[in-house]
């Protein structure tokens, strides 16, 4: 049985290789042989995630024709990649990309630090901001006033409080997507929503197509559910999806589910336009794939002139293809573990029925708090406060990184909470390790890829600003020097930093 889960055509690979910019050679430096340059180019595409891991490469003769080189050059490049662990082959099955066993995916970086560690460590691992007060306190107080009638019940509402389901449905309707309460299930955060969807549609061994890169915690959730992840590379820059790649994967891999973040994608910050959304929904419908659209970042536009496209579900009027996931955790506060699913009524009924074997419902008090926010206008004011805070943090972090690490490359997203940074050829895994030694915690790129891709990246969230952002960038620069020189911190412990 072949080990590849997707394929890269000869013309596509030639186009990707042609987009790479050669670094200027230093004085007296010889250009590498043609086979070596080709092998390095393919290796870089894999490490950057632009060619997925476990993607079948073109046959030697096809690629030679597409690149206008000899077949001997391609054969030598493939042999070099096999020797380095970036290519595996089997007679009759072809060759497919891989990542060497010695390049482990880091096991840490996204779970929150314990409070006692925050005095000496700047945490850039978790993309979450403090609560937007006074709105959290007001929401809880409002919820307490509404609680007494519910206290006389058993308190288990597997589909969610009827009042909150109706409120969420009304909000979709106000966005131009007619929705009934029967199309809404309230969950314990977006993670709870996606976990329920994966267990209903994506049984063990099922293929799930995911963006490459994608949100690390969701990738891990899917792995633990036994799914086979099929990565699809993002388009260049912050322009959303590569629709040719998506159509090919949906057609050839036939995944049961596809998971996408169309609104300020985590980690890249990309925003998919309306045409991309329409075309992806059409492709998923044709392939019989359930498209799970994660909207947790949809309200976090940071620039005033951003025009938000219609929701992905707006291109699925029959409601047969798209399942939408939303949450209060990113736009409001991570401690408010309220999420929701919007889907066809029969899908909601199946999710609710299956939920009895996992958890019986979401905490009532938190549901009442979110319902209070939605019903009083407090949500809009709190989210505007969140946007202002994230915008300021983004601008200050960008300035600090550009000053301390001018060789690092990134595009500034117009929304969301994360900056996706190319680290000038340094290993993201080694940077994460060195960062912990100098007092800054940062998740490496491979956390956001499948099987170790994106080694040359890190993700920086907009969770710190001002002096803390400047100190974080300085510590990242210190970590970069350690990686560049293979040196040490000199035995110095990171100094305590008080915001």
């Amino acid at each position: 049985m072949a080990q590849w889960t997707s394929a890269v055509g000869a013309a596509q690979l030639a186009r990707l290789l042609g987009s790479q910019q050669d670094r200027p050679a230093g004085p007296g430096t010889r250009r590498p042989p043609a086979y070596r340059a080709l092998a390095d180019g393919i290796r870089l595409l894999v490490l950057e995630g632009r060619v997925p891991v476990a993607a079948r490469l073109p046959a030697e003769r096809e690629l030679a024709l597409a690149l206008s080189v000899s077949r001997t050059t391609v054969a030598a490049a493939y042999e070099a990649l096999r020797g380095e662990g970036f290519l595996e082959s089997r007679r009759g099955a072809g060759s497919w990309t891989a990542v060497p066993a010695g390049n482990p995916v880091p096991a840490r970086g996204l779970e929150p630090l314990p409070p006692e560690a925050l005095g000496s460590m700047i945490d850039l691992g978790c993309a979450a901001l403090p609560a937007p007060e006074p709105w959290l306190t007001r929401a809880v107080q409002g919820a307490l006033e509404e609680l007494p009638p519910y206290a006389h019940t058993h308190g288990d509402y597997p589909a969610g409080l009827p009042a909150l389901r109706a409120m969420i449905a009304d909000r979709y309707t106000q966005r131009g997507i007619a929705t009934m309460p029967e199309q809404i299930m309230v969950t314990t955060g977006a993670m709870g929503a996606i976990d329920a969807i994966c267990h209903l549609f994506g049984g063990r061994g099922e293929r799930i197509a995911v963006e490459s890169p994608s949100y690390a915690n969701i990738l891990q959730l899917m792995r633990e559910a036994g799914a086979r992840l099929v990565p699809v590379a993002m388009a260049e820059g912050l322009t959303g999806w590569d629709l040719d790649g998506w159509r090919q994967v949906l057609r050839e891999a036939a995944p049961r589910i596809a998971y996408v973040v169309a609104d300020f994608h985590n980690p890249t910050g990309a925003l998919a336009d309306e045409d991309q959304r329409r075309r992806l929904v059409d492709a998923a419908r044709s392939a019989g794939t359930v498209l799970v659209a994660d909207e947790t970042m949809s309200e976090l536009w940071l620039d005033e002139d951003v025009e938000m496209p219609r929701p992905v579900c707006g291109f699925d009027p029959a409601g047969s293809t798209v399942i939408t996931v939303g949450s209060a955790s990113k736009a409001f506060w991570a401690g408010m573990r309220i999420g929701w699913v919007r889907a066809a009524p029969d899908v909601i009924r199946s999710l609710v029925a299956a939920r009895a074997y996992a958890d019986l419902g979401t905490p009532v008090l938190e549901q009442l708090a979110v319902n209070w926010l939605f019903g009083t206008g407090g949500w809009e004011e709190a989210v505007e406060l969140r946007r202002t805070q994230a915008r300021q943090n983004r601008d200050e972090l960008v300035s600090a990184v550009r000053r301390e690490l001018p060789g690092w490359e990134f595009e500034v997203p117009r929304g969301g909470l994360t900056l996706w940074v190319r680290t000038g050829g340094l290993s993201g895994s080694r940077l994460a390790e060195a960062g912990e030694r100098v007092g800054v915690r940062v998740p490496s790129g491979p956390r956001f890829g499948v099987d170790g891709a994106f080694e040359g990246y890190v993700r920086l969230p907009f969770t710190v600003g001002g002096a803390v952002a400047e100190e974080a960038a300085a510590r990242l620069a210190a970590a970069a020097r350690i990686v560049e020189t293979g040196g040490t911190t000199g035995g110095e412990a990171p100094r305590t930093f008080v915001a």
Side-chain angles (χ1 to χ4, degrees), residues 227-252:
R228 297 175 60 192
L229 301 184
V230 184
V232 186
M234 297 290 288
E236 288 291 321
L238 302 180
T239 55
W241 301 316
D242 177 352
L243 267 300
D244 290 338
W246 271 103
R247 277 194 295 266
Q248 182 178 4
V249 166
L250 293 176
R251 183 176 61 250
E252 296 181 0

Side-chain angles (χ1 to χ4, degrees), residues 124-149:
L124 297 182
C126 189
L129 291 162
E133 288 287 30
W135 297 107
L136 174 62
T137 298
R138 291 180 183 177
V140 173
Q141 290 170 341
L144 287 171
E145 293 176 3
E146 299 292 332
L147 183 61

Side-chain angles (χ1 to χ4, degrees), residues 321-396:
T321 299
V322 177
I323 297 178
T324 302
V325 172
S327 172
S329 298
K330 293 298 185 185
F332 186 74
W333 184 47
M336 188 68 76
R337 305 305 304 162
I338 298 295
W340 52 87
V341 178
R342 181 199 179 275
D346 62 320
V347 172
I348 294 297
R349 287 192 293 270
S350 296
L351 288 170
V352 171
R355 188 175 193 178
Y357 304 101
D359 68 279
L360 294 175
T362 301
V364 170
L365 189 62
E366 292 184 24
Q367 291 188 71
L368 289 172
V370 171
N371 195 58
W372 183 92
L373 287 165
F374 286 157
T376 62
W379 176 268
E380 285 71 24
E381 295 203 37
V383 172
E384 182 56 39
L385 181 63
R386 170 67 78 236
R387 291 190 196 107
T388 300
Q389 185 179 15
R391 184 186 307 116
Q392 180 175 340
N393 284 356
R394 177 196 66 180
D395 295 345
E396 291 171 348

Side-chain angles (χ1 to χ4, degrees), residues 397 407 471:
L397 182 65
E471 179 67 14

Side-chain angles (χ1 to χ4, degrees), residues 175-177 241 262-263 271-278 281 293 295 298 307-317:
R175 295 168 68 189
I177 314 297
W241 301 316
D263 304 296
L271 178 64
D273 62 30
E274 289 207 358
D275 182 60
Q276 289 176 320
R277 295 170 192 233
R278 180 185 298 105
V281 172
E295 286 191 337
S298 64
E307 294 186 13
M308 291 300 296
R310 278 186 292 166
V312 176
C313 60
F315 301 95
D316 180 35

Side-chain angles (χ1 to χ4, degrees), residues 448-495:
F448 303 89
V450 175
D451 295 331
F454 303 107
E455 184 58 63
Y457 289 81
V458 294
R459 189 194 73 171
L460 305 180
F462 312 143
T463 52
V464 297
V468 185
E470 293 178 6
E471 179 67 14
R475 294 185 185 187
L476 283 171
R481 289 191 293 272
I482 292 172
V483 174
E484 287 173 340
T485 63
T488 68
T489 62
E492 296 181 8
R495 63 179 182 267

Side-chain angles (χ1 to χ4, degrees), residues 102-475:
N103 290 33
V105 179
R108 299 179 292 172
L110 295 182
E111 67 281 2
L113 275 178
E116 61 270 15
L118 294 177
S120 60
M121 183 73 69
I122 298 176
D123 186 9
L124 297 182
C126 189
L129 291 162
E133 288 287 30
W135 297 107
L136 174 62
T137 298
R138 291 180 183 177
V140 173
Q141 290 170 341
L144 287 171
E145 293 176 3
E146 299 292 332
L147 183 61
Y150 296 95
H152 294 291
T153 73
H154 50 62
D156 289 331
Y157 296 87
L161 294 184
L164 181 55
R165 296 176 73 196
M167 186 70 75
I168 294 170
D170 286 346
R171 290 174 65 83
Y172 276 106
T173 300
Q174 291 166 14
R175 295 168 68 189
I177 314 297
T179 304
M180 304 178 296
E182 292 79 9
Q183 292 178 263
I184 302 296
M185 181 178 82
V186 180
T187 62
T188 307
M191 294 287 289
I194 294 170
D195 182 58
I197 294 166
C198 287
H199 280 88
L200 181 63
F201 289 98
R204 185 164 294 277
E206 290 280 2
R207 288 177 174 172
I208 300 180
V210 295
E211 296 150 328
S212 183
S214 187
Y215 179 37
N217 286 340
I218 294 295
L219 295 180
Q220 190 58 33
L221 181 155
M222 292 173 174
R223 290 186 189 102
E224 292 180 359
R228 297 175 60 192
L229 301 184
V230 184
V232 186
M234 297 290 288
E236 288 291 321
L238 302 180
T239 55
W241 301 316
D242 177 352
L243 267 300
D244 290 338
W246 271 103
R247 277 194 295 266
Q248 182 178 4
V249 166
L250 293 176
R251 183 176 61 250
E252 296 181 0
R256 185 71 180 92
I257 303 175
Y259 169 76
V260 296
V261 185
D263 304 296
F264 308 118
H265 172 260
N266 186 353
T268 68
L271 178 64
D273 62 30
E274 289 207 358
D275 182 60
Q276 289 176 320
R277 295 170 192 233
R278 180 185 298 105
R279 292 163 62 194
L280 184 57
V281 172
D282 289 346
R285 185 183 298 113
S286 297
T289 296
V290 175
L291 187 62
V292 180
D294 186 334
E295 286 191 337
T296 54
M297 297 282 189
S298 64
E299 296 191 61
L300 290 176
W301 63 86
L302 303 184
D303 295 335
E304 296 297 335
D305 59 344
V306 173
E307 294 186 13
M308 291 300 296
R310 278 186 292 166
V312 176
C313 60
F315 301 95
D316 180 35
S320 59
T321 299
V322 177
I323 297 178
T324 302
V325 172
S327 172
S329 298
K330 293 298 185 185
F332 186 74
W333 184 47
M336 188 68 76
R337 305 305 304 162
I338 298 295
W340 52 87
V341 178
R342 181 199 179 275
D346 62 320
V347 172
I348 294 297
R349 287 192 293 270
S350 296
L351 288 170
V352 171
R355 188 175 193 178
Y357 304 101
D359 68 279
L360 294 175
T362 301
V364 170
L365 189 62
E366 292 184 24
Q367 291 188 71
L368 289 172
V370 171
N371 195 58
W372 183 92
L373 287 165
F374 286 157
T376 62
W379 176 268
E380 285 71 24
E381 295 203 37
V383 172
E384 182 56 39
L385 181 63
R386 170 67 78 236
R387 291 190 196 107
T388 300
Q389 185 179 15
R391 184 186 307 116
Q392 180 175 340
N393 284 356
R394 177 196 66 180
D395 295 345
E396 291 171 348
L397 182 65
V398 163
S399 295
V401 172
R402 282 176 171 165
R403 182 176 59 255
E404 295 288 344
L405 292 150
W408 287 18
E409 302 173 31
F410 53 85
E411 293 187 53
V412 181
R414 307 192 68 193
L417 290 172
T418 57
L419 195 66
W420 185 237
V421 181
R422 190 184 307 203
T423 56
L426 299 180
S427 162
S429 299
R430 292 190 177 92
L431 279 167
E433 180 184 13
E436 298 232 5
R437 291 155 59 190
V438 298
V440 60
R441 189 165 175 263
V442 57
S444 64
R447 293 295 309 275
F448 303 89
V450 175
D451 295 331
F454 303 107
E455 184 58 63
Y457 289 81
V458 294
R459 189 194 73 171
L460 305 180
F462 312 143
T463 52
V464 297
V468 185
E470 293 178 6
E471 179 67 14
R475 294 185 185 187

